[in-house]
Amino acid sequence: MKNLKVVLGLIALSLMMVMPAMAADYDLVINNGRVMDPETKYDAVANVGVKDGKIAVITKDKITGKETIDAKGLVVAPGFIDGHQHCIEPYQYRLMLRDGRTTLLDTEIGAHGPKLGEWYKRREGNAPVNFGVAVAHEFARAEVLDGFKDWKHLYTPDAAQTRSTKEGWSKTRPTLEQGNQILALIDQGLQQGGLGIGSTVGYMRAGVSAREIFELQKLGGRYGRFIAMHFRYTPGDDTSEVNGIQEMLANAAALGTPAIASHFNNPGYNMVHELLVRMRERGYNVWGEIYPYAAGSTALNAVFLEPEVWVKALGHKYEETLQDVATGEFYTQKSREEMLKKEPTRLVVVYKIPESAIVDWIKMPGVAIGSDGMPMIPDDNLTWDTPYEDLPNTHPRTSGSFATVLRLARENNIPLMQAVSMTSYNYAKPLGDMGLKAMQVRGRMQKGMVADITMFDPETVRDNSTYAKGTLPSTGILHVIVNGTIVMKDQEPLKGVNPGQPIRFEPVESKFEPLTKEGWTQTYYASPIDSGGGIPGSQPNQGGSPATPR
């Protein structure tokens, strides 16, 4: 009898070793879904077990858990990562979830450096999605050159004020002392864990020198972090657009620093893509993003919308290309001038490229999706509960970018794995390679990864937002999980469920080294005699004599 008990015990132990885990082993189980992992190219119907916020198992075996989702007919994909979102606010979270987004990052403008820690603190425990922000070049210039201090949102939405009051942030060339002040403000944000540096140099063409951009990338490089750039000549033509990104890429190559080509879906995009691919082949951590729309959106007083640029240089007509977001009416030069006097930062839609190009963008491997989602103006009294149809109008990319990519991939026979990569892995991978730990465990459907998961019907997923009504939610995305917690089920975002985590670096000591004329000459001159020209912070040569740093 004793031997029989031993044999039975050994059999039971063996069964425990080979049998799938029992119910108590998983917090959540997703059964029967088509699991897709962009990194390994795994693509199969399988079951997923989630425990303690992470993917614990992906298996063909039957598993059970405390909570179960039947994903039959659905794709089970890594949670969508929006690396370029200018509105990370409660009134937009439902739209973001309906579009499958689990992480929102503001990398193009970002937060004011000294306020970055406060920006994160406001969202901790209050967001259903993960959130992160870069450090704003534009806002540092606004404080130093315009004296702006009236921070409210601490990030992109404050541009409605900084851009409407004074023009120093855009048009003033700083002195050496002011340049150091700008860099010092940005450095504060990097110390506090900012993801990188966001520069909207395309809005500051007259005021920002090539040297200033180089020093930004040098500062970011000391922390091993990216610069994300709205290029100097965007929007432009297929030569100027490419020249704009070449400025950033040349600096990245010289400094060995990461770089993001913000929304390069403009003229010259094919060459920009080739530049990025070839640089990655040589080991540089550079990448780019697109949003799947032929029109962009910006403020009415953007420098590139001035007649000298938009009409004379680029050959556009206001009547065909510049549309008011709120009214849907197209501007004339006269009506634009009149509106500038009343509301200079009024939102407009800018038509700039043929619709046919959109499908080409989605075919490009290694490219990420960044929606460039816009703040809603006015945002007073907007809450989670504000009906979609009552939200102020905005560019449709705000609500529908990710569903649009999936729909266009289906309609144009683009491999679904390509589209899934664009929605998640293509942002997670380079950010993770940069050392951002939170992105080393996201953007993938693998055991041990954070359970940020988006489930959608590949046959029906679609965008519904339009230029006329940009706040209509996407459909066909059924369930969203963030950090192992269900935040949307059966297309219904769950109010008060806030598992979103900060995406940031740990605080560190300052790495800023102020620029000096003497330091530069000692490093780069064979003789420490200043013959003028090209010194950091020097003013343009006005009278034929060597420029003198101030």
Side-chain angles (χ1 to χ4, degrees):
M1 181 64 69
K2 183 177 180 180
N3 290 337
L4 179 60
K5 289 182 178 180
V6 171
V7 171
L8 290 174
L10 291 172
I11 292 173
L13 180 61
S14 299
L15 288 173
M16 289 174 64
M17 293 175 66
V18 299
M19 288 176 63
M22 301 303 289
D25 288 338
Y26 300 116
D27 302 320
L28 171 66
V29 164
I30 303 165
N31 284 326
N32 309 312
R34 180 183 174 185
V35 180
M36 300 185 71
D37 177 50
E39 185 167 66
T40 64
K41 306 305 179 187
Y42 179 86
D43 184 354
V45 174
N47 305 318
V48 179
V50 175
K51 186 174 179 61
D52 298 329
K54 295 184 178 181
I55 298 171
V57 68
I58 298 175
T59 178
K60 296 292 186 73
D61 296 329
K62 181 179 179 181
I63 56 175
T64 55
K66 298 175 184 176
E67 191 165 7
T68 301
I69 292 177
D70 183 2
K72 184 177 182 179
L74 303 181
V75 170
V76 181
F80 298 167
I81 297 169
D82 187 352
H84 188 156
Q85 171 58 252
H86 293 303
C87 188
I88 306 176
E89 299 290 338
Y91 65 81
Q92 280 220 23
Y93 288 149
R94 287 192 306 150
L95 282 173
M96 300 299 96
L97 293 174
R98 288 291 299 268
D99 205 39
R101 305 179 214 184
T102 59
T103 297
L104 306 178
L105 309 175
D106 183 350
T107 59
E108 186 207 32
I109 293 184
H112 186 44
K115 304 290 186 180
L116 188 132
E118 184 181 345
W119 183 91
Y120 275 103
K121 187 175 181 180
R122 288 185 182 184
R123 287 157 182 78
E124 290 180 9
N126 298 312
V129 295
N130 305 309
F131 48 91
V133 71
V135 188
H137 176 210
E138 177 178 320
F139 289 159
R141 288 177 59 87
E143 177 168 318
V144 172
L145 302 175
D146 292 327
F148 186 87
K149 299 250 184 211
D150 189 20
W151 306 104
K152 177 182 177 183
H153 297 89
L154 314 181
Y155 73 123
T156 289
D158 280 331
Q161 297 304 317
T162 58
R163 294 183 179 187
S164 65
T165 53
K166 298 180 181 180
E167 295 185 322
W169 67 272
S170 174
K171 297 181 178 180
T172 298
R173 289 280 293 270
T175 64
L176 180 57
E177 180 182 4
Q178 290 171 329
N180 277 325
Q181 291 171 356
I182 290 167
L183 291 172
L185 290 173
I186 293 170
D187 183 70
Q188 289 186 47
L190 294 173
Q191 289 180 62
Q192 294 174 35
L195 300 176
I197 299 172
S199 178
T200 47
V201 63
Y203 290 83
M204 305 181 287
R205 306 176 189 198
V208 175
S209 66
R211 168 60 70 174
E212 185 170 331
I213 291 295
F214 185 74
E215 295 300 335
L216 288 179
Q217 291 183 248
K218 187 188 295 181
L219 175 61
R222 292 196 178 105
Y223 291 85
R225 301 181 200 173
F226 65 71
I227 191 169
M229 275 181 55
H230 176 127
F231 312 134
R232 185 179 297 278
Y233 305 118
T234 297
D237 59 26
D238 59 358
T239 294
S240 60
E241 288 272 357
V242 174
N243 290 162
I245 192 174
Q246 285 172 326
E247 174 183 31
M248 181 185 79
L249 294 181
N251 294 343
L255 297 165
T257 56
I260 305 174
S262 298
H263 52 43
F264 75 90
N265 41 283
N266 292 294
Y269 66 84
N270 44 11
M271 183 169 172
V272 171
H273 180 52
E274 183 174 346
L275 285 168
L276 293 169
V277 169
R278 287 178 175 272
M279 287 192 69
R280 286 198 296 270
E281 288 173 348
R282 285 157 177 77
Y284 295 103
N285 189 11
V286 294
W287 71 102
E289 54 167 49
I290 63 98
Y291 53 79
Y293 297 88
S297 185
T298 188
L300 187 63
N301 66 346
V303 293
F304 48 76
L305 293 179
E306 291 299 311
E308 292 76 14
V309 178
W310 193 248
V311 178
K312 295 180 181 179
L314 297 178
H316 297 304
K317 296 180 179 179
Y318 289 128
E319 295 85 350
E320 298 174 355
T321 60
L322 194 62
Q323 186 179 30
D324 190 276
V325 166
T327 67
E329 297 179 359
F330 281 84
Y331 283 93
T332 64
Q333 184 167 332
K334 181 179 179 180
S335 64
R336 177 179 179 269
E337 291 171 354
E338 292 172 348
M339 184 59 74
L340 284 173
K341 296 174 183 177
K342 296 185 291 184
E343 193 177 340
T345 58
R346 190 175 177 88
L347 288 180
V348 292
V349 170
V350 182
Y351 294 88
K352 54 190 172 61
I353 203 159
E355 291 275 349
S356 58
I358 301 173
V359 174
D360 290 340
W361 303 333
I362 300 174
K363 295 177 181 178
M364 297 188 299
V367 175
I369 301 301
S371 72
D372 201 2
M374 301 296 286
M376 295 179 185
I377 300 175
D379 64 357
D380 298 334
N381 303 316
L382 299 181
T383 70
W384 169 281
D385 296 310
T386 303
Y388 300 120
E389 59 273 15
D390 291 345
L391 293 169
N393 196 34
T394 187
H395 192 294
R397 68 193 184 194
T398 299
S399 307
S401 287
F402 289 77
T404 299
V405 168
L406 297 172
R407 173 181 61 80
L408 290 175
R410 177 180 68 236
E411 294 174 352
N412 294 277
N413 298 314
I414 298 171
L416 184 55
M417 188 66 81
Q418 160 71 4
V420 169
S421 296
M422 297 183 80
T423 62
S424 55
Y425 181 68
N426 291 357
Y427 239 117
K429 177 63 164 61
L431 287 173
D433 288 348
M434 194 179 71
L436 185 59
K437 293 180 180 179
M439 284 296 142
Q440 294 171 352
V441 291
R442 288 181 168 84
R444 303 152 173 93
M445 285 299 301
Q446 299 172 24
K447 180 179 177 180
M449 296 292 150
V450 169
D452 287 351
I453 301 171
T454 297
M455 287 168 265
F456 62 90
D457 184 340
E459 301 302 321
T460 64
V461 60
R462 66 167 296 110
D463 51 307
N464 297 300
S465 56
T466 65
Y467 292 107
K469 191 58 181 174
T471 62
L472 298 178
S474 301
T475 49
I477 298 172
L478 280 296
H479 313 295
V480 175
I481 297 168
V482 175
N483 296 302
T485 298
I486 299 173
V487 293
M488 184 173 78
K489 192 167 186 178
D490 296 321
Q491 290 192 137
E492 185 61 38
L494 304 180
K495 184 178 180 180
V497 180
N498 296 312
Q501 295 294 312
I503 307 297
R504 67 189 295 186
F505 286 93
E506 292 294 325
V508 294
E509 295 296 320
S510 172
K511 299 180 185 293
F512 174 50
E513 299 175 10
L515 302 173
T516 66
K517 171 186 172 183
E518 294 76 18
W520 194 92
T521 56
Q522 288 174 8
T523 302
Y524 293 102
Y525 282 172
S527 171
I529 299 174
D530 178 14
S531 57
I535 306 301
S538 62
Q539 298 296 303
N541 191 341
Q542 300 291 332
S545 60
T548 302
R550 298 181 182 177

